[in-house]
Amino acid sequence: MKRRADPREETRAPRLLRQPFYCEENVWQLCQEPALADRKRDVVFVSNAERACPMWFQKAGRGKPIVWDYHVVLLTWDPLEIWDVDCTLGVPLPAITWLQQSFHPGVPPPYLPSFRVIPADLFARTFTSDRSHMRLPDGTFQKPPPPWPMIGASDAPSNLMSFVDVTRPFLGEVLSLAAFAARVG
């Protein structure tokens, strides 16, 4: 006779909510996932001073590299994994694999990525977005917004671009590509 699994032994797979072009909100949703709550987690903003960061293996790139002004992923520890719901290689990936596949050698120095690393719980508590960065001058959205409500208090100003700006102090720590690779490699 086959033994029935004890429901306490089962682990539920994290929900991977994804709205294309709203990576910061996708990651905020992932930070709320009970299946990942017991793991050390960091939110990682990828950008640079030029706000033009080429990345490979992104769904929006349709098989070619895409240049993002910024991108956001979740880093979990033990094991070290990157949760990038926009990556075509799978979710999660070993952090070093994601890093090696997403960023290629030969990129000119101004376009090399920097990484703002913020504890996930701090990000989840402090992040606010009014989605204004996705609106055209006439107020319409460049890309459809997520089906969930905007994140943060309605009277709080959006702080998304403070996270994105890797040239100015804000929450978390900003690392170069080499320093981030050393940390996750």
Side-chain angles (χ1 to χ4, degrees):
M1 178 177 246
K2 190 174 182 179
R3 179 181 161 280
R4 264 185 109 186
D6 183 336
R8 293 171 296 182
E9 294 174 8
E10 294 177 21
T11 57
R12 189 176 65 80
R15 290 177 312 143
L16 300 177
L17 297 177
R18 178 178 180 265
Q19 181 67 24
F21 302 98
Y22 290 82
C23 56
E24 66 283 349
E25 293 197 33
N26 297 335
V27 170
W28 187 90
Q29 295 291 341
L30 199 50
C31 287
Q32 314 309 309
E33 262 307 301
L36 297 175
D38 291 340
R39 294 178 70 181
K40 180 182 181 225
R41 300 161 295 141
D42 290 315
V43 171
V44 180
F45 277 77
V46 181
S47 191
N48 55 37
E50 300 296 321
R51 297 228 180 132
C53 191
M55 289 185 72
W56 280 254
F57 296 103
Q58 292 286 294
K59 291 174 183 173
R62 298 180 185 169
K64 297 180 180 180
I66 187 166
V67 178
W68 290 121
D69 52 345
Y70 68 93
H71 190 55
V72 187
V73 298
L74 185 71
L75 169 65
T76 57
W77 298 79
D78 195 25
L80 273 167
E81 296 174 325
I82 292 286
W83 296 71
D84 179 354
V85 297
D86 291 301
C87 184
T88 61
L89 300 175
V91 180
L93 284 174
I96 196 65
T97 300
W98 175 84
L99 197 61
Q100 291 168 342
Q101 296 299 311
S102 297
F103 306 100
H104 289 195
V107 170
Y111 303 103
L112 290 173
S114 292
F115 302 85
R116 182 181 297 275
V117 181
I118 309 110
D121 292 339
L122 177 61
F123 174 75
R125 280 193 320 272
T126 60
F127 174 68
T128 60
S129 176
D130 58 10
R131 299 180 180 155
S132 59
H133 67 292
M134 291 299 288
R135 290 194 182 267
L136 296 169
D138 68 0
T140 60
F141 282 102
Q142 296 175 45
K143 301 290 181 182
W148 52 78
M150 287 187 286
I151 297 169
S154 60
D155 60 344
S158 179
N159 63 8
L160 170 60
M161 291 305 146
S162 295
F163 284 103
V164 171
D165 188 346
V166 294
T167 67
R168 295 196 171 155
F170 191 60
L171 300 175
E173 173 185 19
V174 176
L175 302 170
S176 67
L177 176 58
F180 187 72
R183 185 167 292 180
V184 302

